[in-house]
Structure formats: C-alpha cells, structure tokens
Amino acid sequence: MNTGQTCRRVCSGLAWMAGLEGGDTGHGWTGSGGNSLLLPSGSSQAASFGKCFLDRFPPDSFVRMCQDLRVLNAVRDYHIGIPLTYSQYKQLTIQVLLDRLVLRRLYPLAIQICEYLRLPEVQGVSRILAHWACYKVQQKDVSDEDVARAINQKLGDTPGVSYSDIAARAYGCGRTELAIKLLEYEPRSGEQVPLLLKMKRSKLALSKAIESGDTDLVFTVLLHLKNELNRGDFFMTLRNQPMALSLYRQFCKYQELETLKDLYNQDDNHQELGSFHIRASYAAEERIEGRVAALQTAADAFYKAKNEFAAKATEDQMRLLRLQRRLEDELGGRFLDLSLHDTVTTLILGGHNKRAEQLARDFRIPDKRLWWLKLTALADLEDWEELEKFSKSKKSPIGYLPFVEICMKQHNKYEAKKYTSRVGPEQKVKALLLVGDVAQAADVAIEHRNEAELSLVLSHCTGATDGATADKIQRARAQAQKKMEGLEEEPLETLPTEQW
Amino acid sequence: MAFPHRPDAPELPDFSMLKRLARDQLIYLLEQLPGKKDLFIEADLMSPLDRIANVSILKQHEVDKLYKVESKPAVSSSEQLCFLVRPRIKNMRYIANLVNADKLAGRTRKYKVIFSPQKFYACEMVLEEEGIYGDVSCDEWAFSLLPLDVDLLSMELPEFFRDYFLEGDQRWINTVAQALHLLSTLYGPFPNCYGIGRCAKMSYELWRKLEDEEDGETKGRRPEIGHIFLLDRGSVDFGPEVTSSDKSLKVLLNAEDKVFNEIRNEHFSNVFGFLSQKARNLQAQYDRRRGMDIKQMKNFVSQELKGLKQEHRLLSLHIGACESIMKKKTKQDFQELIKTEHALLEGFNIRESTSYIEEHIDRQVSPIESLRLMCLLSITENGLIPKDYRSLKTQYLQSYGPEHLLTFSNLRRAGLLTEQAPGDTLTAVESKVSKLVTDKAAGKITDAFSSLAKRSNFRAISKKLNLIPRVDGEYDLKVPRDMAYVFSGAYVPLSCRIIEQVLERRSWQGLDEVVRLLNCSELAFTDMTREDKASSESLRLILVVFLGGCTFSEISALRFLGREKGYRFIFLTTAVTNSARLMEAMSEVKA
C-alpha cells in the first residue's frame, strides 16, 4: 500500500466517520458483496485505520456500524437477494429481518447472523431452530423416526426451545405419532400434557401428569378422562394409577359421594365400602331405619372383606341403636348416639339399675368395665348407700382402692374410710394416705418392711401432728438398716429378737 | 442458664424477611379490590395471619369487618367480599352458598377468593360446578413459610400428615417444593442434601426440577446454609407418640420473650426452680427502691420500672402456666402414664402395660391418650397380639362409640396400630391362648392384615441406634447428657438420632441396616455438589425439613445436639405437632 493510497483512504475513512457521527453514513452504501459476513474492504478498513488518529473516539458506534454493514452485505448477496439500505434495515429491525430469512427457509444464515450479533439464545438461535423444526415436521416424505431424530440432534436441549410447540405443529400437520415422539424430548411434563389430551392420548397424558408431580395437572387429565371414557373404563384406568386414584377419591369424598362408593365397588374393596356405609350411618342418614339399614350394608361388606371383627361390632351397633330408640320412647331423655358405656351410665344416673344390668349382660360388658362404670356413676349421684351395697354384691374385680379414690374425689372422707380396710395389702398404704390416716399408714408400711412405702408415708408427714409418726418411721428405718448391717457382720441367731 | 449458644455458633439467617414478603403480598392482593370490603378468614389461617399482619394493618387497607369462615353463613352488608382460605372443597361450598344466596336475592356484589398458599384445580372445578366461577375472582397468596421463632419455620399445614400419609394425596408436595425453592432463592443454594422417605424424595426431586427450570439464579452465590435434611413422618414415625416434657401455651411464645427464651429448652423439672430464682431477682430489683433519694428514684421509675413491670407480667404468666402444668403432672395418673410409657419403650412388663391401657379405656380417661398408648404398644411390639388387638378395640368402641371402627381402620392403614402375625414374636403360651380366642376366619384376617401392615421393627432400630440410653443411677435432668433429656432420659427421638448419625458421616454409609429396618432402602439419598464454595460457618448451619410435622421435643433435642457439636439447626416443618394432634388427625369424628 503506497503512501498516496493510504492518505486517500484515511481521508475517506475520516469522512465516513464524520458522517457516522451525524448518524447517516450508511445510506446508499454499496459494498463489494462477496462472502457473507465478511467485512467489506475499502472505506471501512480505512475508517478503522483512521480511527487511530482520533483521540477519545468511542468505539461502540464504529463496531455497531461494522456489524450492521456486515449483515446488510450478507443479505444482499445474490443467493439471498434482499437489497436493503441501512435505514430500511433499521426501520425493519433485526427481528423482522430474521423472520424474513426464516420465511425464506434460510435457516443457516439466520442462525449465523444471530450468533454473529450475539443475540440472546431464546430470541435468536433457539427461535430459529424451533422454526426450522416446525418446517421439518412438514416434510411428509421423511419418516417419523428420522424427523424426530434429526430435530433432536440439532436442537439437543437448547434453552428456550419448546418441543411441545414443535409437536403441536406436527400434530397440526396430522402427524400424531411424530408429535408423540417429539414430546418425549420435552423435559417439562406440564407442557406435554395439554397436547397429549388434545391428541386424545389421555392415558399417556395421565402418566405424564403423574410423572410431573403436579396434582393440578393430574386432576385436569382426570376430568378429561372422566368425560371421554365410559365409567367402567375410567375406573379401570384409575385402578392402575394409585396416585391419581387417591387424588380422585379425595375429591369424591367431598363432592361426589356416590362415585366414591362406585369406585370401591369396582375394586371389590369391601373394607372401604364398609367404612363408607358406617360413615353414612351417622353422617348422611337421619331416620333410624335408614341408619340401621346403612349399618346392615356395612356389616355385609365387612363380612365380604373377611373382617369379622368389624362386622360383629357393626351388628352390635345396630342392636344398640334400636335399643337406644326404644329407651328414648319408654324412658324419655337422649340415648341415641351415645356409646355403649355412656348408655349404661345414663341408665344408672337415671336410676334404671335393672335396665343397666340387662344392657350390660346383653352386650357382654366385661366385669371390670361395669365396676368402674357403676362406681363412677354412683359416686356422681352421691348415692353412697347404693355404692356400699354394690361394693358388697361380690368381690370387686378392680380392688377397693378405686372406691376410696372416688369417695375422696367427692370429698367424702367418711365413706372413703369404709373401704380402706378392704383394700388389698399392696395398696393399703396408698389408701390410708388418701384418707389422711398417716399414722396407720406408717404402721402398715413398717409391718411390710417396704422401703418405698416408708418413704411415701414419710413424704406425707407434713403436719405438726405427724412428728411422732415420722420419728417412728425413722426409727424403723434405722433398725432395718442396723439389721442389714448386722446380717453382714454377725450370724443371724445372735440378733436380739425384741428388735422386731 | 438454659441453653446459651456456644460463642462459635454460626449466626442464623434473618427469616423476618419471609414475614415482610408475605405481608407485602397480602397487602397487594387486598389493594386489588379497592374500596371497603369485608374479609372472611378461615379459622386455621387466623393465627398465622396474626403473626404477619394485625387488624390495624388490615384496616389500613380498607378491610371493614372480619368474619370467620364456619358452617353457618355470616351476614355481611358490604358490597365487596374477600375470602382468605385454604384450598379446600368445603370452603368452596361455603363461598358458593353465599354467592348463590345473593343471586337468589337479586343482589350483586364483588367477590374475591384468595387461596393460601396456592389454589388447586379441584377448587376451581367446584366453583364451576356450583355455577359461580364467573362471579368470583381468584388469587393466590403464596404464604407458605411462617417464622414461628428465630430458628423455626412452619408451613402451618396440619392436614399434610393426614392427606399424604393416610389418604395418599400428594397435592401438598408441590407446595413443599415451592417453599424450598423460595428458601434457596433467598438464602442461597444448599451444598449438601440428605433425605429419607418416599415423600422426602418426591419433594426433593420436584424442588430440583423447579430449580433447573429457573436455573442461573442461585448459581455462583455463596451458600448461607450448608446442609439440608429432609425427613418424612412416614418412615420416621415413632417419636411423637411419647409424652414429652414440653410446655405449650396458647400465648405467642418465641425467642422475643426474654423469659421464655431461657426456659423453653429446659426439662420441665428445672423450669420451676428457674422461675423462682428469676422471681427473687426481680424482687431484689424492686427492693432497690428503698433507700433511694429522689433523684435516683426518678431515674429508676423512668428507666427501669417499665422493663421490670414487663418482666413481672411475663413471669407471672409463665408461673401460672407452670402451675397448671405441674398440677397435671403431679397427679398420680400422670405418673402411672409415664411409667407405662417408659415400660413400653424398654419392652418390659408388656402384660401389665396392656392391662393399664385397658383400664385407661374402661375408665374413659381420655380418648386420645388411650389411642396414643395403643399405638405406642403396637409400634414398640411390632403390632399387637391378636387377642389384645381385638379386645382393646372392642373396649375402645364400647367407651367411645362405633364410629371409631373407622379410626382403627385409619390407624392400621397408617401402620400405627396393627396386629402381629400369629406366631411372630409370641411366646408359646400366648399363641396358644390366642388360638383359643380367635376362630379360623379371624386367623385368616390376621394373615391378610399383617402382610399389609408395615413392620416397624422398633426394637431392632432402638438397639442399633441406642435410642434408649442405658443410664447408671439417676438421670440428672439439670445437666442433660444427651438428647434423651427431652423424655426424662428415657428415649432419644429417632429422627434426631438419624440426623446426628448422618451428619457425622456426611452420608448414609454404614447406616444400611437402619435404613432397611425403616423400609427405606431405596429412599435414602444424599446429594453433595457444591461443597467448595461453602464457608465453614455455613457448613455448621443445618436446615431440617420435617414433612408431616415435628414435635417440640424433637426441636429441643436437636437444639441440644447443636449446642454439643457447635451446629445450629433451623427447622422447617409442615406443622408443629404433638402426639395428641397426630391421633386427632387419625380419629374419625362425627360431624
């Protein structure tokens, strides 16, 4: 390059740059064309050179202009044939230009431009690849497998590419199988489901929805399936998908009780069916006949489920309900819906002892429970005479400590003391302490030679009057201690007998 | 006193940000309905809401009257109604009734439904079926993390336990994943993840998926919390059944309350002594007034008295609470109860314990307590022997009504109360007896049941992990030695022991046997990826996620462990629970 040439170039470059600052140098620029995206030589090179002679010249506008020129140059190529001026190009924006390239299926060039301009992937490369894929699926002469593979190879997992959109396009072209294949590449299950539903692949949609872990999505598919399939098929589909099944059951529990029943029926789930009718017997039915009928159905179901325990319990409840009804008619008051225990208690509280006993026999209430029950009820009534009679009716299966306790609970020390003598030896100290007889308790504890009992009594020696008792215990303890030590030191027979 | 944190304990992240976020979002939602409006709040949301925004804040945003969503419809005269509810079908019915009644009366109002923490498609479906979908506008208040304390976050979703572990309904998993996602956007990525249980695994995977979809946000940030540990109640479920020594109060209690902060982790036996000490100090400070001159007095009144008064008030509150708990605890019944529980845990005197339970039922002491004891027996003994299974159930039905047939069916399904397979661990005599009692058909049922029922293998696990520490002599509760102090030295909560072991190993390695016994062979996972960026400070912060709820005992035990090892634990739970609430969740009640 000789000096003259350089000078000329520098001058034109400077002029170019001056215009650039004015903002319209690119007008009417005609480059030499040639290879796409090559910097046109000539003035811009000169400008690049000339730039060196300018101080404080910001490089951005120069770089941007060069890029724009390259792009314009590339699309002007006769293979492409879009002769745009700079201002036309600015008016159009790069996005529109890319769209035009895409419409002309000039995908490679469009992608090159995106990469060159470093456009964000989502707006740039991915979008164009997606367009390409959408075009690709329309190529009817290529097999589904090949198309799907080709698309996946090119797209990989480029961010921003929605396989479901491409699949939707494939479906639009009538290529359902291809669409399903493409959906396989879609990482977000949520995106797969709507299209699968549209393509009437509901069962596949259901498993995809379940895979996604999004229960709302599962529910959407379920409702779709419910309308699409007949009831039997719908239930069968549910049966193979436990997650969906429990979701639907939860919905039915609140919204469609009858469907819930049908679901259990379908599965021969007699256990749940029984539970269902039990619930109905107190939640849905009001009339006593209806309730008994519901229980009968429940009992039958439990038998079928080989749950004899539940069946028997249900039958007992039917008997109880009928009986409670009769009691209400004959005695007045409320009996319905009480538990067996409470029914008997209510009878005793109402003074119907005979009836209570009869009921206890009929329902084989264990003795222990009956005793607890009667004890509590009679103490509530403060019917001390009856309580005493009851205590003597036979040997108590629960011991006599509870008698002492319950009397003291009602603050009746006088009655409580009546029972202390009958309390068994292991609980005697406890009983005596309950009625406040510390001295006697101490005697018993000493007699038992029981260290735990002695401490217990000692902890109750609080009042001034208990001083003597406390001393007594301490003495007994000391002696016991001595005896223990004595046992270690001396042979047994030398112990003085009066110590005990 | 109490649990001072070690000087080297790492700082906790500031979770009050979560409150501010929730409040701002709620205000935004309220402002979406400009003008005066009445607010209908679901009962369950009231106390969480109270911690976020009080009535005056609501009033500032033109909330006129507040109503509770309950069974009977409220009469509101406002032109705009706003409903703040959990996404439950029964609430949709309530709203539908209200809207449809207005329609019949020819009245038009604006309705807005705010679902918290998210809306479910099923709810919208119901609105549609009831024909009011077009009349209401729906919104979501993504309020899923309530800081109950500086280290305790609750999702306030008590129904999680029943929905997932009993009904198999997975809809809350997504909510959990969202909450975890929120935490990781706010407090950085978690370099080490551990988890056990199906539910934990599902939540973890869903959360990861969310992170991947929105990638880039947390990358490159320094993690604030070094470990996250997910546990689900389905696999690690025998902790909450034991009576613990925690106090609970229906007062807002948290670390901001000075006194409570000092006593909350103490074993109960210490609390009273501490409080009386505190009371004496207070008195001494009051007493200083004597012998003051005017100026000092003025100073005292203006500066210290207010603080003292406040402390005084708190103290009397706590002493009152303490008294009522003491009253309950010292009762003979309670002692017996504790004795039985400890016997069950250690597995001796089974017959005696069983008859204690029977008596408990016969006397109608407490329906929930009885259930709890039965479950404890079942868990520790690998199921009840058939004879007891039948007789205890019969007794229970007689005491509390036949609807509990359903309760038992629930408990069996959840694996909490099951029947032993015959001849499994029975002694020869017992199996003979049970043969006499049960007929052939019942035997068949037994077979069917026991194959369904989940084995709990409590004894083996307890031995393997030393859950029941051997103690020589008296367990000194004033100077706790291990995590068992929360249960008077009788039992270390399984969940806490597992966390301890895994953290020590930084993996599940060597715990294969335990994992197998928990039936979680495929479901224990670790994921350690970005360790290098974590500071040593953050590596001592551990977020423990309890899916299905955790108890205060577990929290106290882990706080203790943290103090011992220089860790700090942060708790995220679907709800704070206890054995009674657990049983209530399983109970069938007549509406």
Side-chain angles (χ1 to χ4, degrees), chain B residues 4 20 37 55-56 80 100 137 224-225 234 281 290 301 340 379 421 507 535 581 590:
Chain B
R20 285 201 301 280
K37 60 220 148 213
V55 176
S56 66
Q80 302 199 87
N100 282 327
S137 62
E224 281 186 57
I225 302 169
N281 286 348
R290 275 177 226 144
V301 171
T340 308
I379 286 166
S507 78
S535 64
R581 275 178 232 157
K590 281 187 195 178

Side-chain angles (χ1 to χ4, degrees), chain A residues 84-345:
Chain A
L84 284 177
T85 65
Y86 179 78
S87 34
Q88 280 172 329
Y89 166 64
K90 280 289 149 183
Q91 201 69 34
L92 273 179
T93 72
I94 181 70
Q95 297 301 345
V96 176
L97 179 62
L98 287 173
D99 283 348
R100 292 201 174 166
L101 290 175
V102 164
L103 279 176
R104 291 177 190 203
R105 294 182 204 148
L106 297 166
Y107 303 108
L109 179 62
I111 287 173
Q112 262 181 312
I113 290 179
C114 291
E115 280 167 353
Y116 174 64
L117 292 179
R118 297 213 183 94
L119 293 179
E121 282 207 325
V122 181
Q123 296 170 22
V125 177
S126 315
R127 202 168 61 98
I128 290 155
L129 279 174
H131 276 292
W132 165 77
C134 290
Y135 162 71
K136 189 83 183 164
V137 298
Q138 293 168 28
Q139 293 179 339
K140 304 234 158 150
D141 47 335
V142 189
S143 77
D144 291 342
E145 278 83 26
D146 292 344
V147 174
R149 205 178 314 115
I151 289 178
N152 184 242
Q153 257 166 18
K154 277 262 179 349
L155 269 63
D157 41 0
T158 322
V161 170
S162 162
Y163 277 97
S164 53
D165 287 350
I166 304 167
R169 183 65 66 91
Y171 176 63
C173 305
R175 299 182 75 168
T176 313
E177 285 310 313
L178 175 59
I180 291 171
K181 284 210 168 60
L182 286 170
L183 277 180
E184 287 296 322
Y185 297 117
E186 173 65 57
R188 292 160 299 172
S189 326
E191 298 290 315
Q192 303 171 326
V193 172
L195 183 63
L196 285 171
L197 283 180
K198 215 161 119 196
M199 298 191 298
K200 307 232 181 306
R201 299 295 162 119
S202 317
K203 285 180 191 170
L204 189 58
L206 185 61
S207 43
K208 289 286 172 198
I210 290 168
E211 227 169 78
S212 80
D214 181 347
T215 47
D216 271 3
L217 207 56
V218 177
F219 208 82
T220 321
V221 181
L222 279 182
L223 290 180
H224 206 93
L225 276 172
K226 194 177 145 196
N227 296 329
E228 190 185 284
L229 303 173
N230 67 41
R231 217 172 163 77
D233 288 346
F234 176 54
F235 285 175
M236 278 311 282
T237 315
L238 280 181
R239 204 172 171 175
N240 301 324
Q241 298 286 5
M243 186 262 197
L245 180 60
S246 34
L247 198 68
Y248 191 63
R249 263 192 208 141
Q250 283 281 77
F251 175 74
C252 290
K253 216 171 248 177
Y254 294 99
Q255 216 35 25
E256 291 176 18
L257 272 177
E258 281 306 303
T259 315
L260 187 63
K261 197 171 75 184
D262 296 345
L263 268 173
Y264 292 141
N265 258 324
Q266 157 95 14
D267 289 354
D268 287 336
N269 191 341
H270 297 295
Q271 174 65 30
E272 286 301 325
L273 215 51
S275 298
F276 175 87
H277 287 294
I278 295 266
R279 200 172 288 120
S281 80
Y282 58 81
E285 288 287 343
E286 301 254 325
R287 295 165 311 116
I288 198 87
E289 298 79 22
R291 298 182 57 178
V292 172
L295 287 172
Q296 182 62 60
T297 326
D300 293 346
F302 284 137
Y303 276 122
K304 277 190 202 146
K306 303 225 158 63
N307 186 346
E308 207 145 308
F309 173 82
K312 288 257 156 57
T314 312
E315 284 172 349
D316 278 352
Q317 176 57 15
M318 285 159 60
R319 265 200 307 150
L320 184 63
L321 260 185
R322 288 206 194 97
L323 199 107
Q324 285 172 332
R325 178 56 180 277
R326 216 167 52 235
L327 288 174
E328 281 192 2
D329 288 348
E330 290 169 19
L331 307 174
R334 270 201 65 73
F335 283 97
L336 277 178
D337 281 330
L338 294 180
S339 71
L340 179 60
H341 186 107
D342 294 342
T343 311
V344 180
T345 306

Side-chain angles (χ1 to χ4, degrees), chain B residues 424-558:
Chain B
D424 191 7
T425 50
L426 302 183
T427 64
V429 183
E430 270 174 328
S431 79
K432 230 182 240 167
V433 172
S434 71
K435 263 182 204 137
L436 288 174
V437 177
T438 52
D439 46 34
K440 268 185 198 156
K444 270 188 205 152
I445 304 168
T446 312
D447 285 336
F449 282 3
S450 53
S451 64
L452 279 172
K454 187 170 65 174
R455 294 291 179 77
S456 55
N457 303 320
F458 176 78
R459 292 265 170 266
I461 292 173
S462 142
K463 214 166 140 196
K464 197 99 200 150
L465 287 176
N466 191 22
L467 296 181
I468 300 167
R470 287 275 151 255
V471 182
D472 309 318
E474 196 80 342
Y475 193 94
D476 187 0
L477 293 168
K478 292 204 171 65
V479 195
R481 263 179 295 181
D482 54 31
M483 292 190 280
Y485 93 97
V486 294
F487 294 121
S488 307
Y491 174 66
V492 178
L494 174 64
S495 53
C496 305
R497 182 69 94 206
I498 289 181
I499 291 170
E500 181 193 16
Q501 294 293 317
V502 173
L503 283 178
E504 228 163 66
R505 295 173 163 80
R506 290 282 177 92
S507 78
W508 292 96
Q509 227 162 22
L511 294 171
D512 310 339
E513 179 68 11
V514 174
V515 171
R516 194 186 59 77
L517 286 168
L518 288 169
N519 287 321
C520 288
S521 302
E522 306 285 303
L523 302 168
F525 56 92
T526 31
D527 184 3
M528 297 198 243
T529 42
R530 288 156 276 186
E531 173 108 16
D532 46 322
K533 262 188 244 153
S535 64
S536 71
E537 173 115 334
S538 73
L539 281 176
R540 284 182 291 130
L541 271 180
I542 299 134
L543 175 69
V544 185
V545 183
F546 288 97
L547 301 167
C550 77
T551 62
F552 272 120
S553 317
E554 288 167 309
I555 294 176
S556 292
L558 285 176

